């Protein structure tokens, strides 16, 4: 119960990695704000599991908030509503993310904007709204961004996605420095190939899946819970002296290289 008495907001927590993070933080004792854009039923499922997570001894509260995290006024409203409901906010997990596949020369402006808005601009302004609140109330806080191994590693045909994650990497390094004097830490978690809805196409293509698995030294895809464990650590006081860094959760994928 490392997060007893804390409130955490997890964006994009109606499914996948975000859902697992919300549940894990609740198991650690935090009350949780569940954000979703287009899956209210998924958000309700997360909420039910969050409430269950505390058991009877440590009842956990949660709410769901609909907001498009690619839109600045929406992320500002999401942060304000979270604080209004719980009277405090201690942990922001910027998890919502999207990707669009295209050859570089075919990529559209609409897809570029969608990816950059959710993966970078929304994170920037959600974090800004959270930081303004922390500074105004003289509280410390923790920001955790769900990035990707692709903040480092090329991913051909996903250039907008890589650009967004590379941007997130520098945003985190920069804010690690700028926010440290205020007791606010910020870190990235960089998952590799995790079994989630963002990968549905790949998971249903045995040939592509097979060659991906050959690139993963641990020989399996990651689970959302593998990522959630790292987030729980970074959200806790065990990580008070940790900021501006990226933590890779990828079964060894990123630095895997073999010569036959
Ligand atoms: C992407 C997945 C991809 C994985 C490993 C993730 O960031 O969202 O589509 O399979 O990286 O390459």
């Amino acid at each position: 119960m490392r997060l007893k008495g804390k409130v955490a907001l997890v964006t994009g927590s109606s499914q996948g990695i975000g859902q697992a993070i919300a549940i894990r933080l609740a198991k650690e004792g935090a009350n949780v704000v569940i954000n979703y854009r287009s899956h209210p039923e998924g958000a309700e499922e997360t909420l039910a599991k969050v409430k269950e997570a505390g058991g009877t001894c440590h009842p956990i509260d949660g709410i769901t908030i609909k907001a498009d995290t690619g839109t600045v006024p929406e992320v500002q409203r999401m942060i304000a509503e979270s604080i209004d409901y719980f009277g405090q906010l201690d942990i922001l997990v910027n998890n919502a993310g999207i990707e669009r596949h295209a050859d570089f020369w075919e990529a559209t402006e609409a897809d570029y904007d969608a990816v950059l808005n959710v993966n970078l601009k929304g994170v920037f302004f959600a974090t800004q709204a959270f930081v303004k609140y922390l500074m105004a109330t003289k509280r410390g806080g923790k920001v955790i961004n769900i990035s990707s191994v692709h903040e480092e590693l090329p991913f051909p045909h996903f250039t907008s996605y890589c650009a967004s994650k590379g941007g997130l990497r520098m945003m985190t390094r920069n804010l690690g420095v700028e926010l440290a004097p205020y007791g606010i830490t910020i870190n990235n978690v960089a998952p590799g190939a995790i079994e989630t809805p963002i990968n549905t196409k790949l998971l249903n293509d045995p040939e592509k899946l097979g060659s991906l698995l050959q690139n993963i030294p641990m020989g399996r895809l990651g689970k959302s819970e593998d990522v959630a464990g790292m987030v729980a650590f970074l959200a806790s006081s065990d990580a008070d002296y940790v900021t501006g860094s990226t933590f890779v959760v990828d079964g060894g994928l990123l630095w895997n290289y073999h010569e036959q």
Side-chain angles (χ1 to χ4, degrees):
M1 291 292 248
R2 289 183 288 186
L3 302 178
K4 217 163 167 272
K6 304 286 184 193
V7 177
L9 162 59
V10 186
T11 68
S13 46
S14 58
Q15 60 180 10
I17 293 173
Q19 183 174 66
I21 294 169
I23 295 165
R24 179 62 198 267
L25 298 185
K27 284 188 177 150
E28 297 279 353
N31 290 324
V32 183
V33 181
I34 296 143
N35 155 253
Y36 69 99
R37 180 176 60 177
S38 45
H39 295 109
E41 62 306 325
E44 287 306 320
E45 183 188 301
T46 310
L47 180 60
K49 291 185 174 163
V50 156
K51 288 190 169 167
E52 262 169 46
T56 40
C57 309
H58 306 282
I60 298 289
D61 197 7
I63 46 159
T64 62
I65 298 182
K66 181 178 164 74
D68 175 355
T69 58
T71 311
V72 176
E74 294 257 306
V75 296
Q76 290 169 336
R77 173 180 60 76
M78 172 184 74
I79 298 283
E81 283 182 12
S82 305
I83 297 163
D84 277 356
Y85 183 83
F86 281 112
Q88 71 185 80
L89 186 61
D90 308 282
I91 299 153
L92 170 63
V93 184
N94 290 305
N95 163 79
I98 58 172
E99 63 186 30
R100 296 279 189 269
H101 178 275
D103 291 332
F104 173 67
W105 48 94
E106 301 285 356
T108 64
E109 185 178 357
D111 278 352
Y112 175 95
D113 284 345
V115 170
L116 270 291
N117 285 347
V118 172
N119 295 11
L120 190 58
K121 186 176 181 182
V123 174
F124 186 107
F125 286 100
T127 303
Q128 185 189 65
F130 180 47
V131 164
K132 280 185 179 182
Y133 152 76
L134 293 174
M135 290 173 80
T137 53
K138 298 201 170 17
R139 302 169 67 92
K142 300 221 180 317
V143 180
I144 298 140
N145 301 318
I146 305 307
S147 175
S148 166
V149 287
H150 299 299
E151 66 167 49
E152 182 92 60
L153 185 70
F155 194 14
H157 313 290
F158 289 91
T159 299
S160 58
Y161 183 75
C162 290
S164 71
K165 298 299 186 180
L168 203 51
R169 179 192 178 112
M170 282 313 294
M171 182 181 131
T172 292
R173 285 187 181 174
N174 227 58
L175 294 183
V177 176
E178 196 170 338
L179 302 180
Y182 301 94
I184 302 167
T185 65
I186 178 165
N187 291 288
N188 284 6
V189 174
I194 311 295
E195 240 178 292
T196 71
I198 208 171
N199 281 325
T200 309
K201 260 199 195 150
L202 175 95
L203 297 173
N204 292 323
D205 182 333
E207 207 177 303
K208 280 196 180 154
L209 184 59
S211 67
L212 171 62
L213 286 175
Q214 287 194 339
N215 280 330
I216 305 176
M218 287 195 184
R220 67 166 176 94
L221 294 179
K223 296 190 187 320
S224 295
E225 290 74 18
D226 293 322
V227 180
M230 178 62 84
V231 174
F233 161 69
L234 290 170
S236 78
S237 60
D238 286 342
D240 278 353
Y241 199 58
V242 177
T243 198
S245 291
T246 293
F247 297 83
V248 175
V249 181
D250 72 343
L253 177 151
L254 177 58
W255 299 118
N256 183 27
Y257 175 72
H258 282 292
E259 288 199 26
Q260 298 307 329

